[in-house]
Amino acid sequence: MERPRPARLAGYVLLWAALAVPALTADRLGLNEPRPAWQQAAGVAVLAVAAALSRRLPLAAFGLVAALSLTAAPAMFTVSYGPALGVLALLLGLRAGRARPAVLCFAAVGCAGTARIVLVGVDPAPEWLVMTGTLLFGCVFPWLGGRYWRQSRELAAAGWLRAARLEDEARFAEERARLRERARIAQDMHDSLGHELSLIALRAGALQVAPGLAGEHRSAAADLRAAAADATDRLHRIIGVLREDDDEPAPLAPAGETLEQLVARAAESGLPVRWQPAGPDGTAAEPGGVAERLLHRVVREALTNAARHAPGAPVTVALTGRAAGTGRSAGVSVTITNGPPTQESSRPTGGGTGLLGLRAAVTSVGGTFEAGPHEEGFRVSAYVPDAPEQQAGAEPPGPAPFRHARRRVAAGLGTAAGVGVVLVGVAFGWYAYAEKHSVLEPAAYAKLRLGTPVAEVEHLLPERDVNDPPDDRAPAPPGRADCRYYRASGELFVSVDHFRLCFAAGRLVAKDVVPRIGLPGEGREEYEEFSQ
């Protein structure tokens, strides 16, 4: 949500004040060469414009400060505008979505700085190193930090969105599990009651054809058989609405009886069924386990279908065990085979949803299921491993993309930081070397006499002279004289006194003391005795 306008204005003012403080105080503290007041005012005005553009046009704001830094120093390294350069580079990475414009801007600033150093630079090599280090370490590195900050905030927001989505998915999964449990209960009710009603119909059929039964009793048995059949069909239609055949879980409730007991109860009800247990070397399912419950469900559904669709047909239930081998696991197989019907079925042929549910339940635990015509009858075969495992849903994607993005950004930051540290270290080393080797000791300065030939003076002078002489604080040089500046001490990053030696016609014609900033009189008096 966008902040109110007064709050935005206050933010711009605070940002401009923070950027303007170094620009106004660096000269007074002696960290920069003094500049005219109009240059300071112009720099503060440019910083005000940059602060105003920092939110809407962060690239333009950074470009303004980069141009200001290049104008103030060819090497782009100034205490006055260096903090503003780093802050606006950070805001550029934080607020600009695309990286290519910023990279092109950095390249343009580097090219402009190189051209300016070539044209007006005093010592191009170290100045170019300082400019490159400033650009990388003071601009690119803060920009990458801003981009990393931006990406971290976006990843955090995406993480919260993903967490909310996962919570919604968890609620949906819970609701789906609840519905699936209801459907499972309905399926189990259908299988159990359907099986019992089929057995009731078989008993009624057997009672109907029993010898010595009165006619009204035979009629009542026939009505009972028809009512049981109709109840089975209605139960099948009603419960079938609640089923989920494409994703049927394994039943959780125990079967309550073994396979042999199930077959025996069906035989007692009049179904011509024969039980073939596993051999002595075969394995049986663990009592009460998932495999045993699945096999019980398969046998119950197959016996119910045989009683409904093939009345009078002989049924065989065979149980076999399979030992573990190469590429396969140990398990138990059951096969239910029925022959052709010997009586006419009064029930419509159709449905088949029970077999579809069985196939989904068996395959979901790593088993196999087959059902189809066999010779003149029908056969159902199922294999269930001893240690079935429910197929887990696909795991939600982990945080690998986030880690990869963080590693990539961290690698970019580390590379930029390493290159920047190396370049800045090289530039600082060169700066320290150049400054230390341009120091003229006060005692050596005192030995110099006006009119001395250059050849006699050279052995007292240091290897290098100053690259950035304080011309604005020095007196006017003699006409047509070659003036050289030397530092009076080896202190770094502070304003120090300088010695100026002017040569003309091969002789020393002038020697002057240029005091450090803030000491217009004291420094000259301090070396007054050496000017004789």
Side-chain angles (χ1 to χ4, degrees):
M1 186 173 66
E2 191 174 2
R3 294 185 301 173
R5 184 177 180 84
R8 293 200 306 269
L9 292 177
Y12 295 148
V13 172
L14 289 177
L15 177 61
W16 170 70
L19 300 182
V21 167
L24 295 175
T25 58
D27 293 355
R28 297 178 179 275
L29 295 177
L31 301 179
N32 282 335
E33 294 295 333
R35 297 169 299 159
W38 70 268
Q39 290 185 2
Q40 294 187 7
V44 171
V46 172
L47 291 178
V49 175
L53 297 177
S54 60
R55 179 172 295 276
R56 299 288 184 181
L57 299 172
L59 185 62
F62 172 79
L64 283 176
V65 177
L68 182 63
S69 298
L70 286 176
T71 303
M76 201 176 171
F77 180 78
T78 60
V79 179
S80 297
Y81 307 123
L85 199 64
V87 170
L88 290 176
L90 176 67
L91 295 179
L92 175 62
L94 181 62
R95 295 172 177 174
R98 298 175 57 194
R100 186 173 181 179
V103 173
L104 294 177
C105 181
F106 293 146
V109 171
C111 293
T114 301
R116 191 168 189 274
I117 289 173
V118 171
L119 294 176
V120 301
V122 179
D123 198 351
E127 290 182 357
W128 187 85
L129 286 176
V130 172
M131 187 272 295
T132 305
T134 303
L135 182 62
L136 288 177
F137 199 67
C139 300
V140 176
F141 184 70
W143 172 71
L144 289 175
R147 287 188 60 82
Y148 178 76
W149 189 0
R150 174 191 179 93
Q151 190 174 39
S152 297
R153 294 197 308 182
E154 292 177 351
L155 289 177
W160 285 111
L161 290 177
R162 183 172 181 270
R165 185 172 63 252
L166 290 178
E167 289 180 358
D168 293 339
E169 292 176 357
R171 287 195 298 268
F172 294 153
E174 182 180 355
E175 182 64 23
R176 180 173 174 80
R178 187 182 300 110
L179 295 177
R180 290 180 60 187
E181 180 63 17
R182 292 178 180 177
R184 186 196 65 79
I185 295 174
Q187 171 66 28
D188 193 61
M189 183 186 302
H190 167 268
D191 294 343
S192 300
L193 295 182
H195 181 70
E196 298 299 331
L197 290 174
S198 297
L199 295 183
I200 292 175
L202 285 174
R203 289 179 182 271
L207 181 61
Q208 182 182 358
V209 298
L213 194 65
E216 63 272 12
H217 293 162
R218 291 182 187 277
S219 177
D223 293 342
L224 177 61
R225 179 184 177 185
D230 292 341
T232 303
D233 291 338
R234 287 196 299 270
L235 179 66
H236 176 74
R237 288 194 300 269
I238 294 173
I239 300 301
V241 177
L242 301 177
R243 296 180 55 176
E244 293 183 337
D245 298 319
D246 58 337
D247 191 13
E248 185 66 32
L252 302 179
E257 60 183 353
T258 63
L259 295 179
E260 187 175 1
Q261 292 172 347
L262 174 63
V263 174
R265 190 158 59 87
E268 292 175 358
S269 301
L271 185 67
V273 58
R274 182 166 56 93
W275 168 253
Q276 291 183 355
D281 298 333
T283 59
E286 179 184 357
V290 176
E292 200 267 346
R293 295 197 297 269
L294 276 176
L295 293 176
H296 185 280
R297 181 177 169 187
V298 170
V299 173
R300 185 178 60 189
E301 180 70 18
L303 293 179
T304 302
N305 290 340
R308 293 180 61 202
H309 304 295
V315 183
T316 302
V317 179
L319 187 68
T320 57
R322 188 176 76 177
T326 304
R328 66 180 186 179
S329 59
V332 182
S333 298
V334 65
T335 304
I336 305 95
T337 308
N338 65 269
T342 59
Q343 303 174 13
E344 183 179 357
S345 176
S346 60
R347 305 177 190 182
T349 302
T353 56
L355 297 180
L356 293 176
L358 289 176
R359 183 185 303 277
V362 173
T363 55
S364 67
V365 297
T368 58
F369 182 87
E370 296 179 359
H374 177 70
E375 296 180 353
E376 297 182 358
F378 199 85
R379 181 169 68 181
V380 176
S381 177
Y383 160 74
V384 179
D386 285 343
E389 296 181 359
Q390 295 289 343
Q391 293 180 352
E395 291 293 332
F402 296 157
R403 291 197 300 267
H404 178 69
R406 289 192 180 98
R407 285 197 298 266
R408 185 171 56 187
V409 174
L413 289 174
T415 302
V419 173
V421 168
V422 170
L423 290 177
V424 170
V426 171
F428 176 77
W430 179 262
Y431 168 77
Y433 171 82
E435 297 300 309
K436 291 292 185 181
H437 287 75
S438 61
V439 176
L440 178 60
E441 297 294 337
Y445 176 79
K447 296 179 181 179
L448 300 178
R449 296 291 182 267
L450 298 179
T452 305
V454 176
E456 297 181 9
V457 175
E458 290 289 348
H459 70 282
L460 297 175
L461 302 180
E463 300 177 8
R464 303 174 55 88
D465 55 344
V466 175
N467 294 324
D468 51 344
D471 297 324
D472 53 337
R473 302 196 307 271
R480 297 184 180 181
D482 177 23
C483 296
R484 307 176 191 176
Y485 292 81
Y486 300 95
R487 296 169 61 89
S489 65
E491 298 177 84
L492 302 178
F493 301 110
V494 295
S495 180
V496 298
D497 299 319
H498 287 73
F499 297 131
R500 188 184 71 175
L501 304 179
C502 297
F503 299 91
R507 294 182 177 275
L508 179 63
V509 295
K511 50 182 299 190
D512 300 285
V513 177
V514 181
R516 58 185 178 274
I517 297 175
L519 297 177
E522 291 84 346
R524 194 177 299 274
E525 295 174 358
E526 180 181 356
Y527 299 99
E528 186 68 26
E529 57 178 311
F530 300 137
S531 301
Q532 304 299 327

